[in-house]
Amino acid sequence: MELETWHAPPGDTIPNHPRFAVLIYRGTGLDDPAAARARFASHGWGGSWVDGIFDFHHFHSSSHEALAIVSGTATVELGGPQGESFKVSAGDVLVLPAGTGHRRATARDGFTVVGAYPAGQEDYDLLREADDAARARVDALPAPADDPVGGQGVAGWR
């Protein structure tokens, strides 16, 4: 399993996190929904679901989010309109700090993800534009207790 990090730039409509980097785990072996849900749960990440990623820029101000790609491939735009595109495929996991814009730009071969959230953050919001209150929630949200896949990435958020 390899870890890449990327700092999303601040924006007007999509705030991105001011301190925490996006974590991109490659080659986690999580290419099955049940296995991804179990791994997330074993590290305290719940509220899991199985679906895709919306095709419009959005972010969550009240939660961090883990997205395990369990099938197919896609190009995902991170950071909102001012961000960058990343190619992801089955076995990759994106860990998005609160405020990080994301959207699916393209998808192929049955692209499916499992999403999950740190304990206590399962009741997430879904926003398309930031206001002062959303920015304050993003900035105040602490790092989760544990990394969703058991790696060291979230430790860098402390």
Side-chain angles (χ1 to χ4, degrees):
M1 178 168 70
E2 294 182 24
L3 173 62
E4 301 171 21
T5 61
W6 176 72
H7 286 272
D12 293 330
T13 58
I14 302 291
N16 295 312
H17 201 282
R19 296 177 312 283
F20 301 164
V22 170
L23 310 175
I24 305 167
Y25 284 101
R26 306 281 187 184
T28 66
L30 295 176
D31 57 4
D32 173 77
R37 287 179 133 165
R39 173 87 62 91
F40 288 163
S42 73
H43 293 285
W45 290 59
S48 66
W49 49 265
V50 179
D51 203 344
I53 297 175
F54 291 121
D55 64 357
F56 55 86
H57 292 290
H58 66 284
F59 67 96
H60 311 291
S61 71
S62 59
S63 64
H64 306 299
E65 183 174 43
L67 299 170
I69 292 73
V70 294
S71 66
T73 62
T75 300
V76 177
E77 294 177 357
L78 300 177
Q82 72 273 16
E84 291 184 23
S85 295
F86 295 83
K87 294 196 181 300
V88 294
S89 59
D92 294 341
V93 174
L94 301 172
V95 184
L96 307 177
T100 302
H102 51 292
R103 82 173 198 99
R104 172 189 41 81
T106 65
R108 292 192 323 263
D109 305 323
F111 177 69
T112 306
V113 302
V114 171
Y117 309 88
Q121 298 177 20
E122 298 91 344
D123 189 22
Y124 58 91
D125 58 6
L126 191 147
L127 303 173
R128 296 175 84 166
E129 189 168 326
D131 58 17
D132 289 343
R135 289 177 193 282
R137 283 190 302 274
V138 166
D139 192 47
L141 200 63
D146 200 2
D147 189 274
V149 297
Q152 296 302 312
V154 167
W157 291 0
R158 293 189 185 90

